[in-house]
Amino acid sequence: MRGMLFDTVSGRLHTGGRELIGRWQGDERTLLWFDLGDEPVDEVGRLLREEFGLHPLAVQDALRARHPPKLEDFQDYTFLLFRGLSATSTDTDFSTIQLALFVGGRFLVTRHSAGSPSTDQLWREAQENPGRLAAGPAALALRLCRIMVDRYLGILLALEPRLDELEEEIQRQPRDEMLGELAGYKSHLKKLRRIFAYHQQVFSGLRTGALPGFGVEVRHELNDVYEHQERAASLSGLYYELAADLIESYLSIASHRLNQIMKVLTIITAIFVPLSFLAGLYGMNFEYIPELRTHSGYFILLGVMAGIAVALLALFRKQRWL
């Protein structure tokens, strides 16, 4: 547990632990950001209910291991629940954590189910610039949302060059490994699209409703976060369709190559059918086959067979089958 207490009169910032809650409760001129990690669920739940007076059902949702992102307003605070990227997520093969925010007029409480690089970055920014807290809990919460969205955008933008490379490689020399890689991208992008759809609903609700803790003074920050989330959703949809198109292209090229191979094998078979017939005809074990006693019969038969093969090749080329 860690906290930041900002005195709006003196402009001083204090950092500490649970002891800051008492100081915040006793001084209405202070603003508090209290951050909770993966501490014991019972202890965190009791603290949120007793010290901050948060609704038990909202606390229950915030402490769940998995819960869809949501927005819910209460009498004097707003509850936000997101899926943030875990500390180990650097590409599309990502994992998520639960990131809960309780935003009130004088407090911001954040709770994450595991290590949160977004929260850590905001913590460092607030330490270097206490003005982050001076702007109010809502502005601080939206800054955290912006950092979270930017991490998703970084993953998506890093994927674009790889998709361009795969498109060129598929045209030049398709390999089976490419199909597996593209299928993986498609699966991960589908997951991203689902997460972004939830997040867009949350930010859309923040923009359209007058919610506790979010005043008109943060409308620009809110619009900024919404636009970046919308861009992330648009890119995930675009790259999902691109991955699907590349898979279709790979399968089409592979099918075309297979058809070419089958065409060559069919032509070879068509040429050898009459040749095999002649070889079989004169290879029968009858006692009397007149042509067998011909002095030049062997060479004549080879010539006939060669003539048939050349004639068939000429016919296939005339039909543009070769």
Side-chain angles (χ1 to χ4, degrees), residues 113-133:
S113 57
S116 172
S118 300
T119 306
D120 292 339
Q121 179 178 336
L122 181 60
W123 185 269
R124 291 191 298 269
E125 291 181 4
Q127 284 182 318
E128 295 171 0
N129 180 19
R132 290 286 186 198
L133 273 78

Side-chain angles (χ1 to χ4, degrees), residues 164-276:
D164 291 339
E165 291 176 4
L166 285 172
E167 186 174 10
E168 295 178 1
E169 291 177 13
I170 286 174
Q171 298 295 331
R172 187 172 61 252
Q173 187 178 4
R175 303 188 307 276
D176 291 343
E177 295 81 3
M178 297 178 186
L179 184 61
E181 185 177 353
L182 285 169
Y185 288 149
K186 187 178 177 182
S187 175
H188 298 321
L189 287 167
K190 185 177 182 179
K191 183 179 177 182
L192 280 173
R193 292 177 70 187
R194 184 168 62 250
I195 293 173
F196 293 161
Y198 281 124
H199 286 183
Q200 277 190 290
Q201 290 179 2
V202 172
F203 292 125
S204 179
L206 283 174
R207 294 179 73 198
T208 56
L211 301 175
F214 290 89
V216 295
E217 67 276 2
V218 295
R219 65 182 183 277
H220 297 298
E221 290 83 355
L222 182 53
N223 288 335
D224 178 67
V225 175
Y226 180 81
E227 289 170 0
H228 280 78
Q229 180 60 74
E230 193 174 38
R231 183 190 179 200
S234 175
L235 285 176
S236 65
L238 175 65
Y239 294 158
Y240 176 85
E241 293 175 2
L242 179 56
D245 290 343
L246 289 177
I247 290 175
E248 291 283 342
S249 298
Y250 176 90
L251 294 177
S252 296
I253 292 174
S255 177
H256 177 71
R257 289 166 62 91
L258 179 61
N259 288 338
Q260 291 297 107
I261 293 172
M262 292 302 299
K263 183 174 74 172
V264 172
L265 293 177
T266 301
I267 290 173
I268 293 173
T269 302
I271 292 173
F272 274 90
V273 164
L275 305 186
S276 300

